[in-house]
Amino acid sequence: MNYVLAILGMATVTFAVKAGIFVLGDRVRFPEWLREALSFVPVTVLTAIIVPMTLAPHGNGLELTWRNPQLVAALVAIAVCAATRHQLLTIGAGLAVFFTWQLGVLA
Amino acid sequence: MPVLSRSASFVAGARDTVPMIVGAAPFGLIFGALVATTPLATWHGQLMSLTVFAGSSQFIAAGLFATGVGYAVLWATTLIVNLRHMLYAANLLPHVRHLSLRWRAMLGFLLTDETFAVTSSHFHRQPDDPMGHWYFLGSGLSMYLNWQIWTLAGLLFGAAFPRLQTLGLDFAMVATFIAIIVPQMARMPWAIATVVAGASAYLCHGLPYKLGLLVAVTLGIAAGMLALHARRRDGGRASPGATRNDALDAGTADDRAGLRSQETSAGGAQ
């Protein structure tokens, strides 16, 4: 694989997605169903990225155990975020639990 | 509110983006370090940050390069992962459509989750700010410079410590994404979409070339759309006193409000 070509292709796709609507300007009108569908993109993409990282951090099977620091810390982060809606607090609490678990509890 | 000069607007945009800049720094560092675990050369990592400038798709691309995929899967994944920017662009379009083509192309290139969050909130406060594009530019350009600097630091660090990933620093991404996802689950259709996408992503993660991500996103969106429309129909039946059109309009207005709040709360990490 030619990596420069691969990266420049990614850049072209990304630019088309980000700037396409700005460049087309008034000529673009979204149908209602497409606006609705796009509104689900952030939650579905981000969730689909992190769920396998959390449930199967080593890529080979479910690790539903308290010895899985990704899972424990993710559950704490979800609880903190649901209770406080505070972004930095969520990230801080998640990282604190993750490293405590990784370096302290399991060490 | 008084109209600021070009440079004052630019600085205000950069200043309001500072919390996001701090938040994005570790991701630039981690991305740079991740490149050391892939077959890419160090300078390929910087080239990607300079030309693609989209954090989550760069992370996924690093993973795809490590597993070894073809161009089609790489580019299709990039497209899907970045699709949300179309929603951001659609939201901001009324504030940029009067600008020259060069300006619109440049601001589009600089659009990220963070800059969308900061800029849309600025236009919410000052919808008719004639210097709004300078504010947008200040936010976007400061994020861009920040991303380049931390990518470079990560590349140098990763080349020196290639086993950094085993420390589990990538959990910072998980925590940041959770902080973006959970508040958006307050409305039922988006909560259903999240759960379906998460379950499908786990069940499909054995598919080659991370195709499971595309499957999970498609299923999640389909489930969310079904939930949204099922609720709309229920809303029509639940108010027999109103005429059919009134009930439908009421349901639609409620969901439009939901859609708007989803759009404006979509900010966060890259």
Side-chain angles (χ1 to χ4, degrees):
Chain A
M1 181 182 234
N2 179 336
Y3 292 123
V4 172
L5 179 64
I7 291 168
L8 293 183
M10 284 179 66
T12 308
V13 169
T14 305
F15 181 72
V17 170
K18 282 182 175 182
I21 286 167
F22 280 5
V23 168
L24 289 173
D26 281 332
R27 279 169 289 173
V28 63
R29 282 279 175 271
F30 281 114
E32 184 67 17
W33 68 267
L34 186 58
R35 284 168 43 83
E36 288 173 2
L38 283 172
S39 76
F40 289 104
V41 167
V43 285
T44 52
V45 172
L46 301 183
T47 305
I49 292 170
I50 64 173
V51 164
M53 289 172 68
T54 309
L55 295 185
H58 299 98
N60 38 16
L62 206 54
E63 296 182 35
L64 284 183
T65 153
W66 64 273
R67 296 186 59 84
N68 174 355
Q70 322 260 356
L71 179 60
V72 174
L75 290 175
V76 170
I78 290 169
V80 169
C81 192
T84 66
R85 294 290 163 89
H86 195 289
Q87 198 170 21
L88 278 179
L89 195 63
T90 301
I91 297 168
L95 281 174
V97 171
F98 178 79
F99 284 109
T100 308
W101 222 255
Q102 178 115 319
L103 306 173
V105 178
L106 295 180
Chain B
M1 245 184 217
V3 174
L4 299 173
S5 69
R6 288 174 178 184
S7 56
S9 297
F10 182 92
V11 170
R15 185 198 57 213
D16 291 350
T17 309
V18 165
M20 306 290 183
I21 284 173
V22 173
F27 292 102
L29 196 64
I30 295 164
F31 168 72
L34 270 182
V35 170
T37 68
T38 72
L40 295 183
T42 303
W43 66 274
H44 287 141
Q46 196 72 47
L47 179 70
M48 205 194 291
S49 282
L50 284 166
T51 61
V52 179
F53 186 49
S56 40
S57 62
Q58 289 183 226
F59 271 100
I60 291 166
L64 290 177
F65 281 127
T67 49
V69 298
Y71 296 107
V73 171
L74 176 71
W75 294 340
T77 309
T78 304
L79 176 73
I80 295 287
V81 172
N82 284 324
L83 265 182
R84 65 189 190 283
H85 293 94
M86 281 182 125
L87 192 69
Y88 304 163
N91 180 294
L92 294 172
L93 181 61
H95 306 287
V96 305
R97 59 166 42 128
H98 63 285
L99 301 171
S100 71
L101 182 62
R102 223 171 59 181
W103 261 99
R104 281 179 281 145
M106 180 169 58
L107 293 180
F109 174 76
L110 291 174
L111 193 55
T112 56
D113 303 88
E114 290 86 345
T115 287
F116 169 72
V118 170
T119 306
S120 65
S121 136
H122 172 75
F123 282 125
H124 184 73
R125 294 189 305 269
Q126 290 178 260
D128 301 316
D129 180 6
M131 290 294 153
H133 51 299
W134 286 96
Y135 182 96
F136 192 153
L137 183 67
S139 171
L141 213 53
S142 57
M143 282 297 297
Y144 186 73
L145 285 177
N146 181 59
W147 189 243
Q148 304 314 321
I149 291 167
W150 289 102
T151 298
L152 183 61
L155 286 168
L156 300 174
F157 194 74
F161 306 96
R163 292 189 61 79
L164 181 76
Q165 203 192 357
T166 59
L167 281 177
L169 275 180
D170 49 348
F171 185 77
M173 178 166 77
V174 175
T176 308
F177 284 7
I178 286 173
I180 297 172
I181 296 164
V182 172
Q184 297 200 35
M185 293 176 73
R187 293 179 67 89
M188 193 48 79
W190 285 270
I192 290 171
T194 306
V195 171
V196 170
S200 326
Y202 172 70
L203 293 173
C204 301
H205 84 283
L207 288 182
Y209 311 136
K210 305 212 174 184
L211 279 174
L213 182 77
L214 308 189
V215 174
V217 170
T218 309
L219 291 177
I221 290 177
M225 290 290 277
L226 281 175
L228 190 63
H229 286 270
R231 203 176 53 164
R232 213 172 267 175
R233 278 195 302 277
D234 286 350
R237 280 197 294 272
S239 36
T243 68
R244 190 167 179 273
N245 278 341
D246 281 352
L248 281 177
D249 285 350
T252 311
D254 175 54
D255 288 326
R256 284 220 181 96
L259 216 53
R260 265 199 306 279
S261 77
Q262 292 302 130
E263 285 170 6
T264 50
S265 65
Q270 291 213 4

